[in-house]
Amino acid sequence: MDVIQDLIQAISWDVIIGTSVRVLLILILGFALMSALRLVLGKLETRLIAQSKNSGETPGEATKRVETLIRLVRQGIRVVLWLTILLVVLKEIGVDVAPILASAGVVGLAVGFGAQNLVRDVISGFFFIMENQVRVGDVAIVNGTGGLVERMNFRTITLRDLGGAVHVFPNGTVNTLSNLTRDWSAYLMDIGVAYKEDPDHVIEIMRQVGAELREDPVLGRHMLGDIEVFGVDKFGDSAVTIKARIRTLPIRQWDVGREYLKRLKHAFDQAGVEIPFPHRTLYFGEASKPIALELAERARQQREDWTHSGQRTASADNVDTDG
């Protein structure tokens, strides 16, 4: 008991209370700085979005780009701020932070050599954001894999494809990146019709359906103009292909395109325009007849054989009767 009392009496409560108060104030200051940071970044985000809209950028595109940039800036500042607060707290409780900083420098140098891929990913992610190449909410094809960009940071980019699978790509490994929803999108179509159809008549029907779709109160506002019919694109095995395109707001091309194809099918049915299906005629060599004609001749030959056979049987019966 005497030893414990001596230890308690040896404790400098003034120092402990003073240190605790200073640590508490540092933590309160840290939370206050985080709140101020969120407020400042929120106002900055609003201002950047307004500036992007005034410069002519699509509102949805501006929002996605600014949100991605502000989120990454917030993450970086949060990490630096809390690391600084941690070092100050350690110094207040009597821990010498100089060796820690020196060790961190040595460890950072070692990690820099050993984690070159990580450094490459961070640098690539930084330029992805700064150059506005892709943003959260875009539909992109990364290294041949397409999907919706769900998350993006300085190290990785995350896609979710139509089947629900999540694909994560380190930024440094992105060799090819195709953004399908940058500024505007397009639905490209190859419409096949029978060779007997008049291409001018078909193109007129396609434009009429496009004009009707643009008057639609829901989907029409997503279209950026009339349908663009480029004309006859190629001659296929069983169809004449007419290429066309509909320009839409970002990520709206599939909704508009699918509705257009449905309406075009109904219009073709009403106008009697044939949408052909592939067919083949089989031959057994260059000099032989088509298989259909060959089968018909065989059937005719069999009927003749049966007829002659019946006549011979009838003649034999007559001979037997006379006898």
Side-chain angles (χ1 to χ4, degrees):
M1 292 296 295
D2 294 338
V3 175
I4 297 176
Q5 290 179 356
D6 293 339
L7 290 175
I8 294 175
Q9 291 177 356
I11 295 176
S12 178
W13 292 104
D14 295 337
V15 175
I16 293 178
I17 294 174
T19 302
S20 301
V21 170
R22 287 193 296 271
V23 170
L24 182 60
L25 291 176
I26 292 172
L27 294 177
I28 293 175
L29 179 61
F31 284 108
L33 289 176
M34 287 303 304
S35 299
L37 173 65
R38 285 193 293 268
L39 181 61
V40 172
L41 291 180
K43 291 183 178 181
L44 178 61
E45 180 178 358
T46 303
R47 184 175 180 179
L48 291 176
I49 292 175
Q51 289 180 350
S52 300
K53 292 179 180 179
N54 294 333
S55 63
E57 189 174 359
T58 304
E61 296 296 303
T63 302
K64 289 188 294 184
R65 179 175 63 85
V66 174
E67 285 180 352
T68 303
L69 182 61
I70 293 298
R71 185 179 63 256
L72 295 179
V73 172
R74 184 185 297 114
Q75 291 176 355
I77 295 178
R78 183 185 292 118
V79 171
V80 173
L81 178 61
W82 285 112
L83 283 177
T84 304
I85 292 174
L86 177 62
L87 292 176
V88 173
V89 170
L90 291 176
K91 186 176 181 180
E92 287 294 332
I93 62 178
V95 178
D96 189 5
V97 297
I100 297 177
L101 293 176
S103 301
V106 175
V107 172
L109 184 62
V111 170
F113 283 108
Q116 297 181 12
N117 291 336
L118 178 61
V119 175
R120 181 188 61 180
D121 295 340
V122 172
I123 294 175
S124 299
F126 174 78
F127 282 105
F128 280 161
I129 300 301
M130 294 302 297
E131 295 177 0
N132 195 23
Q133 297 179 9
V134 65
R135 295 141 301 184
V136 173
D138 284 338
V139 176
I141 301 176
V142 179
N143 294 345
T145 302
L148 178 70
V149 180
E150 285 196 338
R151 288 187 300 275
M152 186 173 181
N153 51 48
F154 284 123
R155 195 182 69 85
T156 61
I157 177 172
T158 303
L159 301 181
R160 184 181 295 272
D161 63 20
L162 194 60
V166 175
H167 306 272
V168 180
F169 300 92
N171 292 326
T173 64
V174 176
N175 297 320
T176 59
L177 190 152
S178 302
N179 193 338
L180 303 182
T181 56
R182 175 70 180 271
D183 298 333
W184 55 274
S185 299
Y187 192 85
L188 195 63
M189 297 169 287
D190 291 326
I191 306 298
V193 297
Y195 275 88
K196 66 181 182 64
E197 303 296 343
D198 182 9
D200 293 331
H201 179 55
V202 174
I203 292 174
E204 181 181 355
I205 295 175
M206 294 175 63
R207 287 176 175 165
Q208 181 180 356
V209 174
E212 293 175 355
L213 181 60
R214 197 172 182 190
E215 298 297 328
D216 186 270
V218 177
L219 296 177
R221 57 190 177 90
H222 300 320
M223 299 175 62
L224 297 181
D226 294 330
I227 181 174
E228 300 173 277
V229 182
F230 302 119
V232 176
D233 188 62
K234 63 181 178 180
F235 297 123
D237 294 336
S238 59
V240 177
T241 301
I242 299 176
K243 185 176 290 292
R245 183 180 70 176
I246 299 178
R247 295 174 67 245
T248 68
L249 295 175
I251 211 170
R252 296 295 183 178
Q253 67 269 37
W254 294 288
D255 295 335
V256 175
R258 289 163 184 159
E259 178 64 20
Y260 176 83
L261 292 179
K262 184 185 74 173
R263 296 190 181 195
L264 184 64
K265 175 62 169 59
H266 293 326
F268 279 175
D269 292 342
Q270 293 177 0
V273 176
E274 178 185 351
I275 302 177
F277 55 88
H279 58 277
R280 297 288 185 273
T281 301
L282 300 180
Y283 293 89
F284 292 100
E286 288 187 4
S288 63
K289 299 178 180 179
I291 183 172
L293 182 59
E294 183 71 21
L295 293 176
E297 290 185 353
R298 289 183 181 180
R300 182 177 58 80
Q301 186 65 37
Q302 289 178 355
R303 287 197 300 270
E304 291 178 356
D305 294 342
W306 291 339
T307 301
H308 293 324
S309 176
Q311 291 176 353
R312 287 195 298 269
T313 302
S315 299
D317 293 340
N318 290 334
V319 172
D320 293 340
T321 302
D322 294 341

